[in-house]
């Protein structure tokens, strides 16, 4: 029982790991015994902008060198530009796709060999309920998250049985990225009205789901998109 609920001896890389959900995930992984490196543009154990070509390959190589291998990758890095669809200007959509989607694709590909060598490799992609329904996040953000869902499913099949690939889909969470929306009382009220559990998620709520999917106890779970949304997707009318 203890071994099924422990990550002692596991080596993990968390992108976007210095604030918000990523910071909480890194702390939760460490709490279960994993050795964790965080990646961010500044302030992380590793520093890089994953939107830049070649950054993913370099970062994964550095992580493997420092940790002696890799068992877990959490693709959490992301950003958003909220606008009506007709108002995006050249470069903005490309930046969103590069940061939210292409970076995860490149990190997954760069990490495939060490994760396969682990024999029990795990990839967790941090998606969003915006991939499933309209939430007013902006079309490009929703598009990147929908594509991330399909990447999750595809790699779960292609890379089994050595690597499990799952995703968590948060609803609005108390993070720096969501802070401007949650500071607007009218938006906050609308969000709470649509959330059956009646509260805004904390980053630790998302981190708990991420870490569960990393545990040996979840060894038969792959290709899953797990909403961590307080019941939002189930609500309907």
């Amino acid at each position: 029982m203890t071994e099924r609920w422990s990550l002692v001896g596991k080596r993990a890389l968390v992108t976007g790991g210095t604030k918000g959900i990523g910071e909480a995930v890194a702390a939760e992984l460490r709490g279960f015994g994993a050795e964790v490196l965080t990646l961010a543009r500044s302030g992380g154990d590793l520093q890089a902008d994953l939107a830049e070509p070649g950054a993913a390959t370099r970062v994964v190589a550095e992580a493997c060198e420092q940790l002696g291998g890799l068992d877990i990758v959490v693709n959490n890095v992301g950003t958003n530009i909220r606008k009506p669809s007709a108002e995006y200007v050249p470069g903005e959509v490309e930046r969103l796709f590069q940061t939210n989607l292409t970076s995860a694709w490149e990190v997954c590909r760069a990490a495939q060999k060490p994760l396969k060598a682990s024999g029990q490799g795990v990839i967790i992609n941090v998606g969003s309920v915006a991939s499933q329904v309209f939430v007013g996040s902006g079309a490009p953000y929703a598009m990147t998250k929908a594509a991330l869902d399909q990447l999750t499913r595809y790699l779960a099949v292609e890379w089994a049985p050595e690597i499990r690939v799952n995703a968590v889909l948060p609803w609005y969470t108390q993070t720096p990225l969501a802070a401007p929306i949650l500071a607007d009382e009218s938006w906050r009220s609308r969000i709470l009205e649509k959330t059956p559990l009646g509260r805004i998620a904390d980053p630790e709520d998302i981190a708990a789901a991420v870490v569960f999917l990393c545990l040996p106890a979840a060894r038969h779970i792959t290709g899953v998109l797990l909403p961590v949304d307080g019941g939002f997707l189930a609500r309907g009318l």
Side-chain angles (χ1 to χ4, degrees):
M1 182 68 72
T2 301
E3 291 179 359
R4 292 176 64 220
W5 297 93
S6 172
L7 292 174
V8 172
K10 301 298 184 182
R11 302 152 297 182
L13 172 65
V14 181
T15 73
T18 59
K19 57 186 177 182
I21 291 171
E23 182 179 25
V25 167
E28 194 87 357
L29 286 167
R30 291 184 179 113
F32 276 79
E35 188 176 358
V36 182
L37 291 178
T38 59
L39 167 69
R41 284 182 292 181
S42 61
D45 301 308
L46 304 171
Q47 297 184 11
D49 182 350
L50 287 177
E52 296 179 355
T57 300
R58 175 176 61 81
V59 163
V60 169
E62 290 178 2
C64 289
E65 183 178 354
Q66 291 193 34
L67 296 173
L70 205 54
D71 305 291
I72 296 167
V73 169
V74 180
N75 284 308
N76 173 68
V77 68
T79 190
N80 197 12
I81 302 170
R82 296 178 180 86
K83 286 185 178 183
S85 296
E87 295 183 9
Y88 286 90
V89 300
E92 289 180 334
V93 173
E94 290 80 359
R95 178 70 180 182
L96 288 175
F97 268 79
Q98 186 67 39
T99 302
N100 295 354
L101 178 62
T102 306
S103 67
W105 159 248
E106 294 296 351
V107 168
C108 287
R109 295 203 312 143
Q112 189 263 349
K113 286 185 178 180
L115 290 175
K116 184 176 181 179
S118 163
Q120 297 178 330
V122 176
I123 296 172
I124 308 294
N125 295 320
V126 178
S128 170
V129 296
S131 69
Q132 307 290 308
V133 295
F134 176 88
V135 298
S137 62
Y141 179 83
M143 292 158 64
T144 64
K145 295 302 184 178
L148 190 64
D149 287 355
Q150 187 57 16
L151 176 63
T152 299
R153 295 188 188 100
Y154 197 98
L155 294 184
V157 175
E158 183 179 353
W159 291 356
E162 293 90 357
I163 303 172
R164 294 188 299 109
V165 188
N166 292 294
V168 296
L169 311 183
W171 175 222
Y172 277 101
T173 305
Q174 297 281 4
T175 67
L177 186 63
I181 299 297
L182 297 177
D184 183 320
E185 285 303 321
S186 62
W187 262 104
R188 188 180 184 92
S189 296
R190 289 177 65 186
I191 292 164
L192 289 171
E193 179 187 353
K194 302 295 184 182
T195 307
L197 290 185
R199 57 182 290 271
I200 305 296
D202 293 320
E204 290 75 17
D205 298 320
I206 317 304
V210 170
V211 171
F212 165 69
L213 291 171
C214 293
L215 287 165
R219 68 183 183 180
H220 205 58
I221 301 174
T222 197
V224 164
L225 312 175
L226 176 62
V228 190
D229 64 353
F232 167 73
L233 287 179
R235 182 182 183 278
L237 289 176

